[in-house]
Structure formats: structure tokens, C-alpha cells
Amino acid sequence: MKNQNVVDPVAKSRVNTLVAFANSTNLLKSSVTASSLGGFWGLYAKKLMKTLKNSKGDAKVNTFIDSMRASSPTRSKSEENQDKTPTWILYHPSALNMFDEIVYNSRGKQIVTFLDYDGTLSPIVADPDKAFMTEKMRATLKDIAMHFPTAIVSGRSLDKVYNFVQLTELYYAGSHGMDIKGPTKCRSNKKNNEAVLFQAASQFLPMINEVYKILVQKTKCVPGATVESNKFCLSVHFRCVDEKNWASLGQKVRSVLKEYPKLRLSQGRKVLEIRPSIEWDKGKALEFLLESLGYGNSNNVFPIYIGDDRTDEDAFNVLRSRGQGIGILVSQIPKETNASYTLQDPSEVCQFLQRLVEWKRKSSHCYKL
């Protein structure tokens, strides 16, 4: 007779890890009890963050400038969030600590990896043109691509991302997925490059170029502001802008876009994003790439999406709605997210990807035996 009390080893390991963590942070003695550990995994991050906000009496974010601050917390705000970290980690545990669980859930399925660039593969830097990743990360990406279909999904233009990464084995989805190319044996500058898979907003190029020139002129008077052209979208960076000038910068950008109703504005980490008003984002790009790989309606795929910004939430949401794979948020502070797990920074992303490669090599070797 089958023993009904047998506990899955991965699940048991996860509970033990959580109990140890909770004990070490005194959470079991305060807001979390041992009996509650089994059921909290079904709660989404929004519910948690809503509770945290209510407990602090935070005012609801209503204005555009408040939105800029919310997406780009100051140092003091980051320090304030440290108080929320222990509870937040219970709902969004480290992907490194839960690595065994992740690969256990992927058993029998094809892993496909999707990676943001800035803040995920490279550190966030003041000068966007100097967001270089390490050679160790590049070597790791090359290994990952040898074992799993791999795509870089970035708000940067496709060519800029490729110039940073310089690996032909990958899929590249630039401009928030509006410009997608597949792996090629060699890169080509020809317009009709056969590697082009999809360009969702080609008709917007003249308008994007026009707005770029206007924004460059309009923002000249704001010290530290820079406008970056990412082909099918624009980025107005305010990482080097004094916070007292954020309102002025935001107003200038919005005044320009009033004349271009076919473009929309969103916020990221110290950046304002201008994109065509079409139903396309990083989540749509993820779905398109899965379809291109033959996994559009497949139950035998396990997508892993790793990103650090608000724009990556579109991909996290797609994974939740599909009920497939996992989202991993790269962040050192609590954020509202639909990702399942977290990593602290690009160095931890590199460690996670290396462990995936090692796991795949070992499992392949055992299979051959």
C-alpha cells in the first residue's frame, strides 16, 4: 500500500527553508505562524503590497510625478523598504535558494530563457552607453544558448543590445519586443536580413524620429536629462537629473506628446518611455517567440523570464496567465510584482544561469548512462 504520508522532497525542502528563514528573522513569532506556511503560496504580490501600503498609511499614487517617484525610488525610500524585505522574500523567495524546486517543476519540459538587459545582465549605470556586462556573463550566456533557446528582450534598440552582447546564438527582441530577430551564423546590416522575424511598428518610424528631434531640443535646458533613440521607441533618462527638476522634465515630455496621440508614455527606472500606442509589449514578444519556436500551444515548455523593470511585468503577467514557467524579478528592495522569485543583482543572475547550465549537463549525462 502506498504510504499517504510521504512528502515530496522538494516541497519538504522548501518548507524547511522557509521555517528556518522565518525563525532567523523572528517572523514566526510575529506576523507569520508555522501553520500558515502551507497556504500562502497562492497569494499574489499585489495583495501583499496592498497590505504593506495600508499598514504604512501610504497615500495612493495619483499624479504623474508621483508615478515617476514610485518607479524610481530615492535612497531614503529604498532604506524604508528594507523593513518590508523579510516578509516580501517569503512571497518572492530567492531563485538561487529555490533552484531545486524550479528545475523539479521543469522536469520533462523544454526550458526557454528570456532575459532583460539593463539591470539584469548588466548593472544600472548613469551613462546608458556604458552599460557593459562582464565577460563572465557573456560566457554564461553563450553556455545557456547552447542548452536552451535564449532571447534578450529589452527596451533598447535591437542593434544596441546586440553590440553589448555580441552573441549570434541568441534571439534579440529590441524596442520592447517591437523588433525581433533570430539566431544567425553572422550578423548582416542588409535591410532584408533573413533573420528578421517581426517588426510590429514599422509605420511609426518617421513619427518616432520626428519626436526624438523635438525632445532633444526641449530637454536641453534640464541638466542631466538625455534622450535615447531605440528605433521603435524613445527613452528620456532622468537618472542624472536632480529630483527637484523631475516635474519640469515630465511636463516638457508630456507637452510634446500631446501633439502625437498615437504615441504613449510610461515610466521605468529613472526613465520615461515613449512607444507607439499598439497592443505590443514584452509579454507579446514572449508569446511571439514561443510561437516561433513551436511552443505556442504546447504544455511541454517551461519559460523562465528574468527582468528588473516595470516593463518586464507584462511578461510576468503572461506567464501567470499561461500557467507556465516562472518570472524572476531582479531587485534588492520590495516591489509590487507578478514574478514568482527574485534575484538580487546581475551577479546573482549569472550564478542562476550557471547553475541551469550545470544542471542540464548533469541531467543529460545521466540520461545517456
Side-chain angles (χ1 to χ4, degrees):
M1 181 181 295
K2 184 177 180 180
N3 188 348
Q4 299 297 321
N5 295 320
V6 173
V7 179
D8 177 81
V10 173
K12 182 178 180 181
S13 173
R14 182 170 192 169
V15 170
N16 289 340
T17 300
L18 289 169
V19 170
F21 175 81
N23 277 323
S24 68
T25 56
N26 291 321
L27 285 175
L28 289 180
K29 298 178 182 179
S30 55
S31 60
V32 180
T33 63
S35 61
S36 69
L37 284 173
F40 73 79
W41 292 107
L43 298 175
Y44 285 176
K46 288 184 178 180
K47 183 176 180 180
L48 171 65
M49 297 307 291
K50 182 179 180 181
T51 301
L52 290 173
K53 286 183 178 180
N54 289 341
S55 67
K56 292 289 184 180
D58 292 342
K60 186 177 180 181
V61 176
N62 291 315
T63 67
F64 178 72
I65 301 305
D66 286 338
S67 182
M68 290 174 69
R69 292 194 179 99
S71 62
S72 311
T74 61
R75 180 178 176 82
S76 59
K77 184 68 175 178
S78 299
E79 291 171 350
E80 175 186 325
N81 281 334
Q82 296 304 317
D83 295 337
K84 304 172 184 177
T85 299
T87 306
W88 186 71
I89 289 177
L90 284 176
Y91 287 84
H92 306 89
S94 166
L96 289 173
N97 292 342
M98 298 299 174
F99 183 81
D100 289 341
E101 175 187 89
I102 293 171
V103 295
Y104 179 83
N105 290 334
S106 73
R107 64 196 185 282
K109 300 178 181 179
Q110 173 65 59
I111 291 177
V112 181
T113 54
F114 298 88
L115 306 162
D116 182 28
Y117 185 77
D118 292 276
T120 299
L121 300 179
S122 72
I124 295 293
V125 294
D127 185 350
D129 291 332
K130 296 181 179 179
F132 304 112
M133 63 181 184
T134 64
E135 287 304 316
K136 182 178 181 180
M137 180 67 86
R138 181 173 287 103
T140 299
L141 283 179
K142 191 175 182 69
D143 285 341
I144 276 286
M146 288 177 60
H147 294 88
F148 313 106
T150 300
I152 308 294
V153 186
S154 172
R156 302 264 199 161
S157 72
L158 187 149
D159 288 338
K160 286 183 181 179
V161 176
Y162 177 79
N163 287 335
F164 278 127
V165 179
Q166 297 183 4
L167 292 174
T168 59
E169 302 92 332
L170 310 179
Y171 289 85
Y172 290 88
S175 303
H176 297 285
M178 287 183 278
D179 192 8
I180 302 176
K181 290 185 180 180
T184 56
K185 293 183 179 180
C186 61
R187 295 290 294 182
S188 171
N189 292 323
K190 295 180 180 179
K191 291 184 179 180
N192 296 320
N193 190 336
E194 62 182 2
V196 174
L197 298 179
F198 187 71
Q199 291 183 333
S202 298
Q203 69 273 26
F204 287 90
L205 277 177
M207 184 183 298
I208 292 290
N209 291 333
E210 182 177 316
V211 172
Y212 170 72
K213 294 175 182 177
I214 297 173
L215 284 174
V216 168
Q217 291 298 320
K218 286 277 189 179
T219 60
K220 275 184 176 180
C221 59
V222 182
T226 59
V227 184
E228 181 182 14
S229 174
N230 291 307
K231 192 170 182 177
F232 294 105
C233 61
L234 302 173
S235 299
V236 181
H237 298 279
F238 57 93
R239 181 165 296 278
C240 297
V241 176
D242 193 299
E243 188 173 350
K244 67 183 180 182
N245 293 324
W246 287 8
S248 174
L249 177 63
Q251 182 57 39
K252 290 179 185 300
V253 174
R254 294 181 72 191
S255 66
V256 172
L257 292 187
K258 284 182 180 179
E259 305 300 321
Y260 297 89
K262 292 185 178 180
L263 300 179
R264 62 186 175 95
L265 181 66
S266 61
Q267 295 88 41
R269 292 177 62 182
K270 300 288 181 69
V271 64
L272 300 175
E273 302 278 6
I274 295 103
R275 288 184 266 172
S277 296
I278 59 175
E279 291 298 320
W280 199 264
D281 51 40
K282 290 184 177 182
K284 296 289 187 183
L286 183 151
E287 291 181 309
F288 176 86
L289 285 166
L290 287 177
E291 182 74 32
S292 299
L293 290 165
Y295 297 112
N297 298 309
S298 174
N299 293 321
N300 298 318
V301 64
F302 192 84
I304 297 177
Y305 189 104
I306 307 178
D308 75 308
D309 207 349
R310 279 189 172 188
T311 57
D312 299 307
E313 291 297 326
D314 294 318
F316 297 152
N317 291 338
V318 165
L319 294 182
R320 279 203 180 272
S321 64
R322 289 173 66 100
Q324 290 180 314
I326 58 167
I328 301 176
L329 176 69
V330 183
S331 179
Q332 296 182 1
I333 61 174
K335 291 182 180 180
E336 184 175 344
T337 182
N338 273 305
S340 303
Y341 301 90
T342 58
L343 290 168
Q344 293 277 306
D345 49 41
S347 66
E348 285 201 355
V349 173
C350 191
Q351 291 179 51
F352 178 81
L353 296 177
Q354 287 176 329
R355 289 187 67 178
L356 268 183
V357 171
E358 292 169 3
W359 167 78
K360 182 63 176 179
R361 286 172 176 166
K362 289 179 180 178
S363 59
S364 298
H365 179 69
C366 292
Y367 181 77
K368 290 178 181 179
L369 293 178

